[in-house]
Amino acid sequence: MAVPQPSPAGFRSIATRLGVKDGADDFVVVVSDEPTTSAAVFTRSRFAGPSVRLSRAAADRVRGVVVVSGNANVATPRGLEHATLLRGQAAEQLGVPAEELLIASTGVIGRPYPIERMLPGLRSSLTDPLPEADFAAVARGIMTTDTRPKLHTARCGGATVLGIAKGVGMIEPDMATLLTFFFTDAAVPQPELDAIFRRVVETTFNALSIDTDTSTSDTAAVIANGAAGPVDLAEFERALHSCALALVKEIAADGEGAGKTITVEVTGARDAAQAKRVGKAVVNSPLVKTAVHGADPNWGRVAMAVGKLHEEHDIDPERVRIAFGGELLFPAEQTEALLDRAARHLGGDQVTIRVELGIADGEFTVYGCDLTEGYVELNSAYTT
Amino acid sequence: MAVPQPSPAGFRSIATRLGVKDGADDFVVVVSDEPTTSAAVFTRSRFAGPSVRLSRAAADRVRGVVVVSGNANVATPRGLEHATLLRGQAAEQLGVPAEELLIASTGVIGRPYPIERMLPGLRSSLTDPLPEADFAAVARGIMTTDTRPKLHTARCGGATVLGIAKGVGMIEPDMATLLTFFFTDAAVPQPELDAIFRRVVETTFNALSIDTDTSTSDTAAVIANGAAGPVDLAEFERALHSCALALVKEIAADGEGAGKTITVEVTGARDAAQAKRVGKAVVNSPLVKTAVHGADPNWGRVAMAVGKLHEEHDIDPERVRIAFGGELLFPAEQTEALLDRAARHLGGDQVTIRVELGIADGEFTVYGCDLTEGYVELNSAYTT
């Protein structure tokens, strides 16, 4: 991946190897030259790791992020001590208060960091100041089972929004996704940034499910350093949303073992929340996911998945409509020609399933991927 | 499978082919000689099929069951008409009121019955009286993707409880499982039979999940004809429970593509309901299921699955204990010897995961199976 142009001004970074992973960068730091506004959301897992706990307690206006990849530092006896030590050393080297750095860590659960190996490398690699930010290297440095880095930018007046993300399994985010960070040189006041970020996350990362499993390490943050001056806030929200949605689609496409992305557009619901529940039921159904994998226009499995929501008493099969791509399959006469056209859509690598509930005008779109033999192979063989 | 001894007295049956499936029995009827007491529970799917709707409205004391396999008769324009016609014809041939027959149907969704082919065969095969019950043939006749019939018996005083079940995919029953029928010659009063049956279903079929998907056709019923006279009701409940649990374990072992059964025993919960939610989160996690498939002692994925229940604020990682078989893995020093012993347990075909929450004394056990390449292959290639 080429370094995208432009990058937000006023950020510095390093991506290096501290011996957590074999033969790849496993430690990155991004820091702003100047004070910032920022917002962040985290996993709600009861097994949230020490990195999440430290970052939750971080300052409102963080200066940067420290990310370790390859080890989640979760459910180990000295996890909090290690996370505190790593963040503290990084802060000391960079000359910023420790509570102004977010720390995040993903990878295997239940194994201690190789901390003796990590600390000397950390001290020798963190110069002050760091080199000018190389976001492409940062996007690569936070990967675990990802097959490719995920980075998107959007312009907003004279400012740039840049987002990176990692994570392709254990993904049904709830208030956040695995790891995603947005950096911008726009000046955005703190309360507005927080409100905008929560709205954006709700319709992007919280609309994504790879495999119904929720990580213990999910962290999403945006850091705005104001180097490009003030921007129109509505335009900023659109730019942030477009970056986030592009990252979500890339994560779905890179889902563990995935061959296709699945977009489920639910319309005609009582409200957006009901539409989201219906969309999640469809995109999470292993029988729907395997039917998509096999390019089988088996809309009966979509009906089954909608039907599982037995507490939604206003969902009436008589009013439900189900389409694959542009093809209405239920209700419809099941002709060979229709099923062939639907199968052709399912044979592509971007599948859209539409469910119209016929109740009111609530709508929500969710994102996921098919379930393949590759997912099973990867997760049977690999300790994550 | 040999016909088990003994069978409950006073039942008659037929298993035959009406052309729904290719080359296998697809139509069965079981009927009691004498009036009965009975109880039944059904899927709560919003897309429940016409068979479920007719059976829900059936009499309190049903005389028998009519089952079609290979076609669910769900989400088709004339489904209710067809189900009414089939049940009515069967009732006429057998000389019982139609509302005293349950009807059930499973298989592909969205395709009409080949009704013109079915009716003549139905009329010629249903003699009055039917032959004495052959429950082994009935258990085979209700199969769809099952690889083997499922039938268990238990004695209770001078009476027999016999249960049959089918279904190995689209299985996370909610108030019932795909299709399971219990026949007994015990005399059990109607209200007691209903209460006993609901208690038994709650800790057996409602504790089972193959793939988180819930069928549109789930039906569970018990029919008691009293031919063997009264029994001790506590003993009857134990007999019914043992039959139901044996069937649940067989369904899990025959789960689509499954190589291993997974039993998740949750203890130390606030109450049984919380223990059940924790158990379901673990047994439904694709990352836990693939780790079991790969015999990987990756208890971190169990911790992750427990952690997903973020609304259970009393779950404290500090008090949680996780074991595979008899091996406590969390908290524990992660020695090679320990991990080897855990991997050996996971290498067997009956895996037990124990989660102790350390809150109070609520407990619940759930049943499921691993996730394999075979599940993906089967459900990508086969229209169900």
Side-chain angles (χ1 to χ4, degrees), chain A residues 44 46 174 211-213 285-286 301 307-308 310 313 315 317 379 384, chain B residues 44 46 174 211-213 285-286 301 307-308 310 313 317 379 384:
Chain A
R44 296 196 288 180
R46 300 297 304 158
D174 185 16
D211 58 3
T212 77
D213 277 339
S285 158
R301 294 185 182 174
K308 284 202 284 185
H310 58 82
H313 298 291
I315 296 180
N379 284 300
T384 49
Chain B
R44 294 196 289 182
R46 299 298 302 159
D174 185 16
D211 58 5
T212 76
D213 278 339
S285 159
R301 295 186 182 175
K308 283 203 285 185
H310 58 82
H313 298 291
N379 285 298
T384 48

PDB file of all heavy atoms in Angstrom, chain A residues 44 46 174 211-213 285-286 301 307-308 310 313 315 317 379 384, chain B residues 44 46 174 211-213 285-286 301 307-308 310 313 317 379 384:
ATOM      1  N   ARG A  44     -16.984  -3.393  25.915  1.00  0.00           N
ATOM      2  CA  ARG A  44     -17.689  -3.516  27.189  1.00  0.00           C
ATOM      3  C   ARG A  44     -17.494  -4.906  27.794  1.00  0.00           C
ATOM      4  O   ARG A  44     -18.185  -5.277  28.730  1.00  0.00           O
ATOM      5  CB  ARG A  44     -19.175  -3.200  26.990  1.00  0.00           C
ATOM      6  CG  ARG A  44     -19.376  -1.743  26.563  1.00  0.00           C
ATOM      7  CD  ARG A  44     -20.813  -1.307  26.738  1.00  0.00           C
ATOM      8  NE  ARG A  44     -21.673  -1.930  25.751  1.00  0.00           N
ATOM      9  CZ  ARG A  44     -22.988  -1.719  25.678  1.00  0.00           C
ATOM     10  NH1 ARG A  44     -23.583  -0.911  26.538  1.00  0.00           N
ATOM     11  NH2 ARG A  44     -23.700  -2.311  24.760  1.00  0.00           N
ATOM     12  N   ARG A  46     -16.580  -8.014  29.971  1.00  0.00           N
ATOM     13  CA  ARG A  46     -16.263  -8.165  31.398  1.00  0.00           C
ATOM     14  C   ARG A  46     -14.805  -8.599  31.569  1.00  0.00           C
ATOM     15  O   ARG A  46     -14.281  -8.526  32.676  1.00  0.00           O
ATOM     16  CB  ARG A  46     -17.193  -9.196  32.058  1.00  0.00           C
ATOM     17  CG  ARG A  46     -18.675  -8.867  32.011  1.00  0.00           C
ATOM     18  CD  ARG A  46     -19.043  -7.608  32.754  1.00  0.00           C
ATOM     19  NE  ARG A  46     -18.635  -7.631  34.142  1.00  0.00           N
ATOM     20  CZ  ARG A  46     -18.456  -6.545  34.883  1.00  0.00           C
ATOM     21  NH1 ARG A  46     -18.615  -5.342  34.364  1.00  0.00           N
ATOM     22  NH2 ARG A  46     -18.111  -6.652  36.137  1.00  0.00           N
ATOM     23  N   ASP A 174     -19.002  -3.857  20.059  1.00  0.00           N
ATOM     24  CA  ASP A 174     -20.111  -3.333  20.830  1.00  0.00           C
ATOM     25  C   ASP A 174     -19.569  -2.082  21.504  1.00  0.00           C
ATOM     26  O   ASP A 174     -18.884  -2.164  22.500  1.00  0.00           O
ATOM     27  CB  ASP A 174     -20.553  -4.387  21.842  1.00  0.00           C
ATOM     28  CG  ASP A 174     -21.784  -3.939  22.593  1.00  0.00           C
ATOM     29  OD1 ASP A 174     -22.454  -2.997  22.133  1.00  0.00           O
ATOM     30  OD2 ASP A 174     -22.075  -4.520  23.640  1.00  0.00           O
ATOM     31  N   ASP A 211     -17.965 -12.547  13.273  1.00  0.00           N
ATOM     32  CA  ASP A 211     -18.183 -13.898  13.808  1.00  0.00           C
ATOM     33  C   ASP A 211     -18.911 -13.904  15.151  1.00  0.00           C
ATOM     34  O   ASP A 211     -18.847 -14.900  15.851  1.00  0.00           O
ATOM     35  CB  ASP A 211     -16.845 -14.627  13.918  1.00  0.00           C
ATOM     36  CG  ASP A 211     -15.833 -13.895  14.809  1.00  0.00           C
ATOM     37  OD1 ASP A 211     -16.192 -12.858  15.384  1.00  0.00           O
ATOM     38  OD2 ASP A 211     -14.690 -14.350  14.918  1.00  0.00           O
ATOM     39  N   THR A 212     -19.597 -12.834  15.503  1.00  0.00           N
ATOM     40  CA  THR A 212     -20.401 -12.720  16.737  1.00  0.00           C
ATOM     41  C   THR A 212     -19.555 -12.660  17.996  1.00  0.00           C
ATOM     42  O   THR A 212     -20.115 -12.474  19.072  1.00  0.00           O
ATOM     43  CB  THR A 212     -21.435 -13.860  16.926  1.00  0.00           C
ATOM     44  OG1 THR A 212     -20.791 -15.062  17.372  1.00  0.00           O
ATOM     45  CG2 THR A 212     -22.195 -14.135  15.633  1.00  0.00           C
ATOM     46  N   ASP A 213     -18.244 -12.816  17.884  1.00  0.00           N
ATOM     47  CA  ASP A 213     -17.408 -12.795  19.083  1.00  0.00           C
ATOM     48  C   ASP A 213     -16.844 -11.399  19.301  1.00  0.00           C
ATOM     49  O   ASP A 213     -16.463 -10.721  18.343  1.00  0.00           O
ATOM     50  CB  ASP A 213     -16.297 -13.837  18.987  1.00  0.00           C
ATOM     51  CG  ASP A 213     -16.797 -15.226  19.399  1.00  0.00           C
ATOM     52  OD1 ASP A 213     -17.824 -15.286  20.104  1.00  0.00           O
ATOM     53  OD2 ASP A 213     -16.180 -16.211  19.032  1.00  0.00           O
ATOM     54  N   SER A 285     -26.150 -15.223  11.121  1.00  0.00           N
ATOM     55  CA  SER A 285     -26.631 -16.594  11.007  1.00  0.00           C
ATOM     56  C   SER A 285     -25.618 -17.445  10.245  1.00  0.00           C
ATOM     57  O   SER A 285     -25.303 -17.172   9.086  1.00  0.00           O
ATOM     58  CB  SER A 285     -27.964 -16.624  10.252  1.00  0.00           C
ATOM     59  OG  SER A 285     -28.176 -17.917   9.717  1.00  0.00           O
ATOM     60  N   PRO A 286     -25.102 -18.510  10.863  1.00  0.00           N
ATOM     61  CA  PRO A 286     -24.145 -19.348  10.129  1.00  0.00           C
ATOM     62  C   PRO A 286     -24.772 -19.985   8.895  1.00  0.00           C
ATOM     63  O   PRO A 286     -24.062 -20.260   7.922  1.00  0.00           O
ATOM     64  CB  PRO A 286     -23.703 -20.395  11.155  1.00  0.00           C
ATOM     65  CG  PRO A 286     -24.673 -20.319  12.269  1.00  0.00           C
ATOM     66  CD  PRO A 286     -25.294 -18.957  12.247  1.00  0.00           C
ATOM     67  N   ARG A 301     -33.382 -19.234   4.493  1.00  0.00           N
ATOM     68  CA  ARG A 301     -32.536 -19.068   5.686  1.00  0.00           C
ATOM     69  C   ARG A 301     -32.568 -17.635   6.200  1.00  0.00           C
ATOM     70  O   ARG A 301     -32.408 -17.395   7.396  1.00  0.00           O
ATOM     71  CB  ARG A 301     -31.095 -19.495   5.368  1.00  0.00           C
ATOM     72  CG  ARG A 301     -30.980 -20.987   5.082  1.00  0.00           C
ATOM     73  CD  ARG A 301     -29.523 -21.382   4.904  1.00  0.00           C
ATOM     74  NE  ARG A 301     -29.384 -22.798   4.579  1.00  0.00           N
ATOM     75  CZ  ARG A 301     -28.234 -23.383   4.263  1.00  0.00           C
ATOM     76  NH1 ARG A 301     -27.116 -22.665   4.240  1.00  0.00           N
ATOM     77  NH2 ARG A 301     -28.184 -24.666   3.999  1.00  0.00           N
ATOM     78  N   GLY A 307     -37.075 -14.653  11.581  1.00  0.00           N
ATOM     79  CA  GLY A 307     -38.065 -15.293  12.461  1.00  0.00           C
ATOM     80  C   GLY A 307     -37.560 -15.557  13.863  1.00  0.00           C
ATOM     81  O   GLY A 307     -38.347 -15.633  14.814  1.00  0.00           O
ATOM     82  N   LYS A 308     -36.212 -15.673  14.013  1.00  0.00           N
ATOM     83  CA  LYS A 308     -35.649 -15.929  15.346  1.00  0.00           C
ATOM     84  C   LYS A 308     -35.998 -14.833  16.342  1.00  0.00           C
ATOM     85  O   LYS A 308     -35.997 -15.064  17.546  1.00  0.00           O
ATOM     86  CB  LYS A 308     -34.115 -16.021  15.252  1.00  0.00           C
ATOM     87  CG  LYS A 308     -33.603 -17.307  14.684  1.00  0.00           C
ATOM     88  CD  LYS A 308     -32.158 -17.568  15.110  1.00  0.00           C
ATOM     89  CE  LYS A 308     -31.133 -16.749  14.374  1.00  0.00           C
ATOM     90  NZ  LYS A 308     -29.749 -17.125  14.728  1.00  0.00           N
ATOM     91  N   HIS A 310     -38.282 -13.601  18.022  1.00  0.00           N
ATOM     92  CA  HIS A 310     -39.678 -13.905  18.339  1.00  0.00           C
ATOM     93  C   HIS A 310     -40.321 -12.858  19.223  1.00  0.00           C
ATOM     94  O   HIS A 310     -41.537 -12.819  19.348  1.00  0.00           O
ATOM     95  CB  HIS A 310     -39.791 -15.291  18.976  1.00  0.00           C
ATOM     96  CG  HIS A 310     -38.982 -15.439  20.221  1.00  0.00           C
ATOM     97  ND1 HIS A 310     -39.424 -15.014  21.433  1.00  0.00           N
ATOM     98  CD2 HIS A 310     -37.730 -15.935  20.414  1.00  0.00           C
ATOM     99  CE1 HIS A 310     -38.500 -15.271  22.338  1.00  0.00           C
ATOM    100  NE2 HIS A 310     -37.458 -15.824  21.752  1.00  0.00           N
ATOM    101  N   HIS A 313     -43.001  -8.671  18.000  1.00  0.00           N
ATOM    102  CA  HIS A 313     -44.347  -9.132  17.638  1.00  0.00           C
ATOM    103  C   HIS A 313     -44.915  -8.438  16.416  1.00  0.00           C
ATOM    104  O   HIS A 313     -45.862  -8.921  15.811  1.00  0.00           O
ATOM    105  CB  HIS A 313     -45.299  -8.981  18.832  1.00  0.00           C
ATOM    106  CG  HIS A 313     -44.894  -9.812  20.000  1.00  0.00           C
ATOM    107  ND1 HIS A 313     -44.973 -11.192  19.985  1.00  0.00           N
ATOM    108  CD2 HIS A 313     -44.344  -9.484  21.195  1.00  0.00           C
ATOM    109  CE1 HIS A 313     -44.513 -11.662  21.136  1.00  0.00           C
ATOM    110  NE2 HIS A 313     -44.118 -10.655  21.884  1.00  0.00           N
ATOM    111  N   ILE A 315     -43.331  -7.993  13.630  1.00  0.00           N
ATOM    112  CA  ILE A 315     -42.816  -8.579  12.378  1.00  0.00           C
ATOM    113  C   ILE A 315     -43.799  -9.642  11.912  1.00  0.00           C
ATOM    114  O   ILE A 315     -44.005 -10.647  12.572  1.00  0.00           O
ATOM    115  CB  ILE A 315     -41.414  -9.177  12.564  1.00  0.00           C
ATOM    116  CG1 ILE A 315     -40.403  -8.080  12.908  1.00  0.00           C
ATOM    117  CG2 ILE A 315     -40.985  -9.913  11.285  1.00  0.00           C
ATOM    118  CD1 ILE A 315     -38.986  -8.573  13.115  1.00  0.00           C
ATOM    119  N   PRO A 317     -44.771 -12.154   8.808  1.00  0.00           N
ATOM    120  CA  PRO A 317     -44.267 -12.747   7.560  1.00  0.00           C
ATOM    121  C   PRO A 317     -45.045 -12.291   6.332  1.00  0.00           C
ATOM    122  O   PRO A 317     -44.466 -12.203   5.239  1.00  0.00           O
ATOM    123  CB  PRO A 317     -44.442 -14.248   7.796  1.00  0.00           C
ATOM    124  CG  PRO A 317     -44.362 -14.418   9.274  1.00  0.00           C
ATOM    125  CD  PRO A 317     -44.978 -13.170   9.866  1.00  0.00           C
ATOM    126  N   ASN A 379      -8.944 -20.852  12.569  1.00  0.00           N
ATOM    127  CA  ASN A 379      -9.187 -20.768  14.001  1.00  0.00           C
ATOM    128  C   ASN A 379      -9.048 -22.093  14.728  1.00  0.00           C
ATOM    129  O   ASN A 379      -9.058 -22.131  15.954  1.00  0.00           O
ATOM    130  CB  ASN A 379     -10.556 -20.142  14.254  1.00  0.00           C
ATOM    131  CG  ASN A 379     -10.500 -18.646  14.022  1.00  0.00           C
ATOM    132  OD1 ASN A 379      -9.736 -17.956  14.680  1.00  0.00           O
ATOM    133  ND2 ASN A 379     -11.252 -18.167  13.051  1.00  0.00           N
ATOM    134  N   THR A 384      -5.223 -17.627  18.990  1.00  0.00           N
ATOM    135  CA  THR A 384      -5.409 -16.175  19.059  1.00  0.00           C
ATOM    136  C   THR A 384      -5.998 -15.816  20.404  1.00  0.00           C
ATOM    137  O   THR A 384      -6.833 -16.523  20.924  1.00  0.00           O
ATOM    138  CB  THR A 384      -6.379 -15.663  17.981  1.00  0.00           C
ATOM    139  OG1 THR A 384      -7.554 -16.455  18.005  1.00  0.00           O
ATOM    140  CG2 THR A 384      -5.751 -15.699  16.625  1.00  0.00           C
TER     141      THR A 384
ATOM    142  N   ARG B  44     -40.837 -20.432  18.651  1.00  0.00           N
ATOM    143  CA  ARG B  44     -41.430 -19.093  18.772  1.00  0.00           C
ATOM    144  C   ARG B  44     -41.065 -18.232  17.568  1.00  0.00           C
ATOM    145  O   ARG B  44     -41.267 -17.021  17.582  1.00  0.00           O
ATOM    146  CB  ARG B  44     -40.955 -18.429  20.069  1.00  0.00           C
ATOM    147  CG  ARG B  44     -41.488 -19.180  21.296  1.00  0.00           C
ATOM    148  CD  ARG B  44     -41.380 -18.354  22.550  1.00  0.00           C
ATOM    149  NE  ARG B  44     -39.999 -18.209  22.974  1.00  0.00           N
ATOM    150  CZ  ARG B  44     -39.632 -17.566  24.072  1.00  0.00           C
ATOM    151  NH1 ARG B  44     -40.541 -16.978  24.829  1.00  0.00           N
ATOM    152  NH2 ARG B  44     -38.363 -17.478  24.407  1.00  0.00           N
ATOM    153  N   ARG B  46     -41.015 -16.040  14.326  1.00  0.00           N
ATOM    154  CA  ARG B  46     -42.032 -15.224  13.668  1.00  0.00           C
ATOM    155  C   ARG B  46     -42.395 -15.827  12.310  1.00  0.00           C
ATOM    156  O   ARG B  46     -43.402 -15.453  11.716  1.00  0.00           O
ATOM    157  CB  ARG B  46     -41.546 -13.778  13.472  1.00  0.00           C
ATOM    158  CG  ARG B  46     -41.217 -13.029  14.744  1.00  0.00           C
ATOM    159  CD  ARG B  46     -42.393 -12.850  15.660  1.00  0.00           C
ATOM    160  NE  ARG B  46     -43.507 -12.150  15.016  1.00  0.00           N
ATOM    161  CZ  ARG B  46     -44.764 -12.221  15.437  1.00  0.00           C
ATOM    162  NH1 ARG B  46     -45.084 -12.972  16.473  1.00  0.00           N
ATOM    163  NH2 ARG B  46     -45.692 -11.544  14.828  1.00  0.00           N
ATOM    164  N   ASP B 174     -35.723 -22.891  21.196  1.00  0.00           N
ATOM    165  CA  ASP B 174     -36.217 -21.910  22.141  1.00  0.00           C
ATOM    166  C   ASP B 174     -37.647 -22.317  22.426  1.00  0.00           C
ATOM    167  O   ASP B 174     -38.530 -22.076  21.621  1.00  0.00           O
ATOM    168  CB  ASP B 174     -36.140 -20.529  21.498  1.00  0.00           C
ATOM    169  CG  ASP B 174     -36.535 -19.450  22.483  1.00  0.00           C
ATOM    170  OD1 ASP B 174     -36.555 -19.740  23.693  1.00  0.00           O
ATOM    171  OD2 ASP B 174     -36.833 -18.338  22.047  1.00  0.00           O
ATOM    172  N   ASP B 211     -25.902 -24.410  16.298  1.00  0.00           N
ATOM    173  CA  ASP B 211     -25.389 -23.359  15.418  1.00  0.00           C
ATOM    174  C   ASP B 211     -26.073 -22.009  15.602  1.00  0.00           C
ATOM    175  O   ASP B 211     -25.979 -21.168  14.709  1.00  0.00           O
ATOM    176  CB  ASP B 211     -25.475 -23.808  13.948  1.00  0.00           C
ATOM    177  CG  ASP B 211     -26.901 -24.171  13.528  1.00  0.00           C
ATOM    178  OD1 ASP B 211     -27.835 -23.990  14.340  1.00  0.00           O
ATOM    179  OD2 ASP B 211     -27.081 -24.627  12.389  1.00  0.00           O
ATOM    180  N   THR B 212     -26.749 -21.793  16.700  1.00  0.00           N
ATOM    181  CA  THR B 212     -27.415 -20.530  17.061  1.00  0.00           C
ATOM    182  C   THR B 212     -28.638 -20.243  16.191  1.00  0.00           C
ATOM    183  O   THR B 212     -29.335 -19.262  16.456  1.00  0.00           O
ATOM    184  CB  THR B 212     -26.499 -19.279  16.995  1.00  0.00           C
ATOM    185  OG1 THR B 212     -26.296 -18.894  15.616  1.00  0.00           O
ATOM    186  CG2 THR B 212     -25.157 -19.531  17.643  1.00  0.00           C
ATOM    187  N   ASP B 213     -28.906 -21.045  15.180  1.00  0.00           N
ATOM    188  CA  ASP B 213     -30.059 -20.788  14.336  1.00  0.00           C
ATOM    189  C   ASP B 213     -31.263 -21.583  14.829  1.00  0.00           C
ATOM    190  O   ASP B 213     -31.142 -22.725  15.258  1.00  0.00           O
ATOM    191  CB  ASP B 213     -29.733 -21.117  12.883  1.00  0.00           C
ATOM    192  CG  ASP B 213     -28.995 -19.960  12.199  1.00  0.00           C
ATOM    193  OD1 ASP B 213     -29.103 -18.816  12.707  1.00  0.00           O
ATOM    194  OD2 ASP B 213     -28.336 -20.172  11.190  1.00  0.00           O
ATOM    195  N   SER B 285     -19.909 -19.644  20.804  1.00  0.00           N
ATOM    196  CA  SER B 285     -18.805 -18.858  20.254  1.00  0.00           C
ATOM    197  C   SER B 285     -18.096 -19.637  19.157  1.00  0.00           C
ATOM    198  O   SER B 285     -17.555 -20.722  19.393  1.00  0.00           O
ATOM    199  CB  SER B 285     -17.803 -18.527  21.356  1.00  0.00           C
ATOM    200  OG  SER B 285     -16.549 -18.217  20.769  1.00  0.00           O
ATOM    201  N   PRO B 286     -18.048 -19.107  17.939  1.00  0.00           N
ATOM    202  CA  PRO B 286     -17.339 -19.842  16.879  1.00  0.00           C
ATOM    203  C   PRO B 286     -15.856 -20.003  17.185  1.00  0.00           C
ATOM    204  O   PRO B 286     -15.244 -20.973  16.744  1.00  0.00           O
ATOM    205  CB  PRO B 286     -17.568 -18.986  15.630  1.00  0.00           C
ATOM    206  CG  PRO B 286     -18.068 -17.673  16.094  1.00  0.00           C
ATOM    207  CD  PRO B 286     -18.692 -17.879  17.437  1.00  0.00           C
ATOM    208  N   ARG B 301     -10.269 -17.909  24.791  1.00  0.00           N
ATOM    209  CA  ARG B 301     -11.502 -17.719  24.030  1.00  0.00           C
ATOM    210  C   ARG B 301     -12.741 -17.955  24.889  1.00  0.00           C
ATOM    211  O   ARG B 301     -13.782 -17.358  24.657  1.00  0.00           O
ATOM    212  CB  ARG B 301     -11.507 -18.649  22.809  1.00  0.00           C
ATOM    213  CG  ARG B 301     -10.413 -18.295  21.807  1.00  0.00           C
ATOM    214  CD  ARG B 301     -10.547 -19.135  20.558  1.00  0.00           C
ATOM    215  NE  ARG B 301      -9.474 -18.845  19.604  1.00  0.00           N
ATOM    216  CZ  ARG B 301      -9.299 -19.503  18.463  1.00  0.00           C
ATOM    217  NH1 ARG B 301     -10.120 -20.492  18.139  1.00  0.00           N
ATOM    218  NH2 ARG B 301      -8.322 -19.190  17.642  1.00  0.00           N
ATOM    219  N   GLY B 307     -16.840 -12.826  28.775  1.00  0.00           N
ATOM    220  CA  GLY B 307     -16.727 -11.370  28.832  1.00  0.00           C
ATOM    221  C   GLY B 307     -17.729 -10.638  27.964  1.00  0.00           C
ATOM    222  O   GLY B 307     -18.080  -9.486  28.234  1.00  0.00           O
ATOM    223  N   LYS B 308     -18.215 -11.315  26.906  1.00  0.00           N
ATOM    224  CA  LYS B 308     -19.196 -10.671  26.020  1.00  0.00           C
ATOM    225  C   LYS B 308     -20.464 -10.251  26.762  1.00  0.00           C
ATOM    226  O   LYS B 308     -21.166  -9.352  26.316  1.00  0.00           O
ATOM    227  CB  LYS B 308     -19.608 -11.654  24.903  1.00  0.00           C
ATOM    228  CG  LYS B 308     -18.585 -11.813  23.810  1.00  0.00           C
ATOM    229  CD  LYS B 308     -19.217 -12.304  22.510  1.00  0.00           C
ATOM    230  CE  LYS B 308     -19.579 -13.767  22.522  1.00  0.00           C
ATOM    231  NZ  LYS B 308     -20.093 -14.237  21.201  1.00  0.00           N
ATOM    232  N   HIS B 310     -21.626  -8.234  28.786  1.00  0.00           N
ATOM    233  CA  HIS B 310     -21.170  -7.038  29.493  1.00  0.00           C
ATOM    234  C   HIS B 310     -22.227  -6.483  30.429  1.00  0.00           C
ATOM    235  O   HIS B 310     -21.927  -5.646  31.275  1.00  0.00           O
ATOM    236  CB  HIS B 310     -20.721  -5.974  28.494  1.00  0.00           C
ATOM    237  CG  HIS B 310     -21.793  -5.583  27.519  1.00  0.00           C
ATOM    238  ND1 HIS B 310     -22.759  -4.680  27.832  1.00  0.00           N
ATOM    239  CD2 HIS B 310     -22.047  -6.021  26.271  1.00  0.00           C
ATOM    240  CE1 HIS B 310     -23.563  -4.555  26.786  1.00  0.00           C
ATOM    241  NE2 HIS B 310     -23.155  -5.363  25.822  1.00  0.00           N
ATOM    242  N   HIS B 313     -23.008  -7.385  35.417  1.00  0.00           N
ATOM    243  CA  HIS B 313     -22.000  -6.607  36.137  1.00  0.00           C
ATOM    244  C   HIS B 313     -21.371  -7.360  37.301  1.00  0.00           C
ATOM    245  O   HIS B 313     -20.323  -6.979  37.787  1.00  0.00           O
ATOM    246  CB  HIS B 313     -22.616  -5.291  36.627  1.00  0.00           C
ATOM    247  CG  HIS B 313     -23.081  -4.429  35.502  1.00  0.00           C
ATOM    248  ND1 HIS B 313     -22.204  -3.814  34.637  1.00  0.00           N
ATOM    249  CD2 HIS B 313     -24.325  -4.136  35.058  1.00  0.00           C
ATOM    250  CE1 HIS B 313     -22.892  -3.143  33.723  1.00  0.00           C
ATOM    251  NE2 HIS B 313     -24.180  -3.332  33.951  1.00  0.00           N
ATOM    252  N   PRO B 317     -13.758 -10.965  36.551  1.00  0.00           N
ATOM    253  CA  PRO B 317     -12.678 -11.851  36.097  1.00  0.00           C
ATOM    254  C   PRO B 317     -11.826 -12.397  37.238  1.00  0.00           C
ATOM    255  O   PRO B 317     -11.311 -13.507  37.151  1.00  0.00           O
ATOM    256  CB  PRO B 317     -11.859 -10.961  35.167  1.00  0.00           C
ATOM    257  CG  PRO B 317     -12.828  -9.963  34.647  1.00  0.00           C
ATOM    258  CD  PRO B 317     -13.799  -9.710  35.775  1.00  0.00           C
ATOM    259  N   ASN B 379     -23.364 -26.990   4.556  1.00  0.00           N
ATOM    260  CA  ASN B 379     -24.355 -25.924   4.440  1.00  0.00           C
ATOM    261  C   ASN B 379     -24.097 -24.963   3.292  1.00  0.00           C
ATOM    262  O   ASN B 379     -24.942 -24.131   2.983  1.00  0.00           O
ATOM    263  CB  ASN B 379     -24.473 -25.178   5.769  1.00  0.00           C
ATOM    264  CG  ASN B 379     -25.235 -26.006   6.766  1.00  0.00           C
ATOM    265  OD1 ASN B 379     -26.397 -26.319   6.533  1.00  0.00           O
ATOM    266  ND2 ASN B 379     -24.584 -26.388   7.844  1.00  0.00           N
ATOM    267  N   THR B 384     -31.168 -26.331   2.503  1.00  0.00           N
ATOM    268  CA  THR B 384     -32.057 -26.777   3.589  1.00  0.00           C
ATOM    269  C   THR B 384     -33.044 -25.682   3.909  1.00  0.00           C
ATOM    270  O   THR B 384     -32.685 -24.516   3.903  1.00  0.00           O
ATOM    271  CB  THR B 384     -31.271 -27.095   4.880  1.00  0.00           C
ATOM    272  OG1 THR B 384     -30.387 -26.020   5.147  1.00  0.00           O
ATOM    273  CG2 THR B 384     -30.512 -28.374   4.733  1.00  0.00           C
TER     274      THR B 384
END
